[in-house]
């Protein structure tokens, strides 16, 4: 018993010395342990910025991608001290790419006392919100929606940083005339603010150039059976079909055009630049060309952004992520140039933007409050992926 007792005491003493020793080492190393850790930032309040994106409905994939990119930008801004010393806080409004729900989302953001708004995906859902934000004197950066109707109806508080419908129609003509050398064109849209605008601008430009539009068709969003449309288009024998609306319905139309025996060229507008168009259409999408804003994978300045996006969200960034990311950084830049959160001062700064360098390229705002120079490129569906046509 005695040997066991002394043995136990010795063991306790040994453990105590070991723990004491470890504790002392920890105490000595603690200051060095903070090396590499970010210093805590003491913000002088908050700045709320609203995000207008579709988080539900058929365009939710685009919207979530944009929200991810804008929140990444917000995190980076906060890590660098925020805006005017204040922490940037984002509030998302779900537009569902629907005019009525978009108006409700805009009203919600106004009542949340946001200083400004970054967002606007579909033109049809963006148009009715322009006056909601203008009446509250809230500045807005619209990163995606590009209908020329926004130029006409913009009360003056918003700027567009994506190329407009004018720019996209020019790029479409370049494709049809210079690359495909076609003569007769069929154009199909869905009657919304974006697709109808692009369809009309393209028809006008094509006819002014001395060519023929043999079919100008409109279909309802969500239609599944295009057999009568395919028959009608084939009867007019166009050299090419240009679909100016969104990918979900566009993929079905492409599939049914090919199944129906149409062998001409097929092009789509930037609303269909999602890789999902090729997933849904399958082999029928092979060779389809898209008039599109620059895709993030072809932007040399976006390499770090792409890596961080994939690390944060375990997926690749989508086609509008770079513009959404740039939109948030541009808003921060404008607020700092304004030197305050006053709506008039920020709007003035946004309008005066010249040569702002983002990962998508340089942004200069023209007198019509839209992007001054076209950013549109041509992409070809090849092997299930979009490839840049140089």
């Amino acid at each position: 018993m005695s040997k066991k007792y002394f043995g136990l005491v010795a063991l306790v003493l040994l453990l105590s010395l070991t723990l004491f020793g470890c504790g002392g080492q920890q105490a000595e190393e603690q200051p060095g342990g903070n090396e590499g850790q970010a210093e805590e930032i003491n913000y002088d309040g908050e700045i709320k910025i609203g995000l207008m994106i579709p988080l539900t409905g058929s365009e939710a994939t685009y919207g979530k991608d944009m929200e991810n990119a804008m929140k990444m930008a917000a995190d980076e801004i906060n890590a660098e001290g925020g805006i005017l010393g204040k922490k940037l806080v984002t509030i998302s409004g779900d537009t569902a790419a629907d005019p009525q729900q978009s108006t409700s989302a805009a009203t919600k953001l106004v009542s949340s006392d946001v200083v400004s708004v970054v967002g606007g995906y579909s033109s049809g859902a963006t148009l009715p919100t322009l006056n909601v934000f203008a009446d509250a004197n809230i500045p807005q950066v619209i990163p995606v929606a590009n209908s020329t109707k926004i130029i006409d109806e913009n009360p003056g508080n918003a700027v567009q940083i994506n190329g407009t419908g004018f720019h996209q129609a020019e790029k479409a003509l370049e494709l049809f005339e210079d690359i495909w050398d076609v003569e007769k064109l069929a154009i199909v849209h869905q009657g919304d603010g974006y697709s109808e605008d692009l369809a009309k601008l393209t028809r006008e430009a094509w006819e002014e150039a001395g060519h023929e539009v043999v079919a100008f068709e409109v279909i309802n969003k969500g239609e599944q059976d295009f057999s009568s449309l395919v028959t009608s288009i084939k009867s007019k024998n166009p050299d090419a079909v240009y679909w100016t609306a969104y990918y979900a319905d566009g993929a079905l139309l492409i599939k049914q055009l090919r199944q129906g025996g149409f062998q001409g060229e097929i092009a789509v507008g930037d609303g269909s630049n999602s890789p999902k168009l090729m997933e849904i259409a399958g082999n029928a999408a092979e060779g389809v060309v898209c008039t599109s804003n620059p895709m993030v994978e072809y932007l040399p300045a976006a390499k770090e952004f792409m890596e961080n996006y994939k690390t944060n969200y375990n997926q690749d960034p989508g086609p509008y992520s770079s513009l959404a990311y740039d939109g948030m950084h541009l808003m921060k830049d404008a607020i700092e140039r304004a030197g305050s959160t006053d709506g008039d001062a920020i709007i003035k700064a946004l309008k005066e933007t010249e040569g702002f360098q983002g990962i998508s390229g340089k942004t200069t705002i023209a007198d019509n409050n839209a992007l001054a120079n076209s950013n549109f490129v041509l992409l070809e569906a090849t092997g299930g992926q979009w490839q840049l046509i140089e």
Side-chain angles (χ1 to χ4, degrees), residues 159-214:
V159 297
Q160 294 173 266
I161 64 169
N162 193 11
T164 66
F166 294 123
H167 297 141
Q168 186 160 197
E170 288 173 3
K171 184 56 71 174
L173 253 67
E174 178 185 321
L175 169 67
F176 301 141
E177 276 191 323
D178 302 339
I179 299 178
W180 282 348
D181 192 23
V182 299
E183 181 60 37
K184 294 185 292 184
L185 190 63
I187 301 174
V188 186
H189 66 92
Q190 286 190 313
D192 57 275
Y194 155 69
S195 70
E196 184 177 26
D197 180 63
L198 177 57
K200 287 182 175 178
L201 291 169
T202 304
R203 178 177 63 178
E204 183 179 340
W206 190 242
E207 290 178 340
E208 282 183 358
H211 305 296
E212 186 179 3
V213 175
V214 295

Side-chain angles (χ1 to χ4, degrees), residues 111 136 144 172 197 223 267 270-271 328 339 380-381 390:
S111 64
V144 176
D197 180 63
E223 278 191 42
D270 67 316
M328 181 59 78
E380 182 174 3
E390 301 287 354

Side-chain angles (χ1 to χ4, degrees), residues 34 63 82 85 143 149 185 281 363 377:
N34 289 333
K149 291 183 178 179
L185 190 63
T363 296
V377 298

Side-chain angles (χ1 to χ4, degrees), residues 186-243:
I187 301 174
V188 186
H189 66 92
Q190 286 190 313
D192 57 275
Y194 155 69
S195 70
E196 184 177 26
D197 180 63
L198 177 57
K200 287 182 175 178
L201 291 169
T202 304
R203 178 177 63 178
E204 183 179 340
W206 190 242
E207 290 178 340
E208 282 183 358
H211 305 296
E212 186 179 3
V213 175
V214 295
F216 191 81
E217 306 284 351
V218 58
I219 63 170
N220 295 319
K221 193 174 180 67
E223 278 191 42
Q224 301 286 308
D225 182 1
F226 300 118
S227 55
S228 61
L229 176 63
V230 170
T231 300
S232 174
I233 287 175
K234 282 187 64 183
S235 70
K236 294 169 183 173
N237 196 30
D239 301 314
V241 174
Y242 189 29
W243 165 253

Side-chain angles (χ1 to χ4, degrees), residues 1-11:
M1 290 292 292
S2 178
K3 286 182 179 178
K4 286 183 179 179
Y5 173 78
F6 284 114
L8 180 61
V9 170
L11 178 60

Side-chain angles (χ1 to χ4, degrees), residues 9-53:
V9 170
L11 178 60
V12 170
L13 285 172
L14 178 61
L15 288 171
S16 299
L17 288 169
T18 302
L19 289 172
F20 179 79
C22 289
Q25 188 176 7
Q26 282 180 337
E28 290 172 0
E29 289 184 355
Q30 193 167 3
N34 289 333
E35 288 181 6
Q37 295 181 5
E39 292 184 8
E40 184 177 351
I41 299 174
N42 295 315
Y43 300 106
D44 181 21
E46 296 180 345
I47 285 181
K48 295 178 184 175
I49 294 183
L51 314 180
M52 287 286 284
I53 58 268

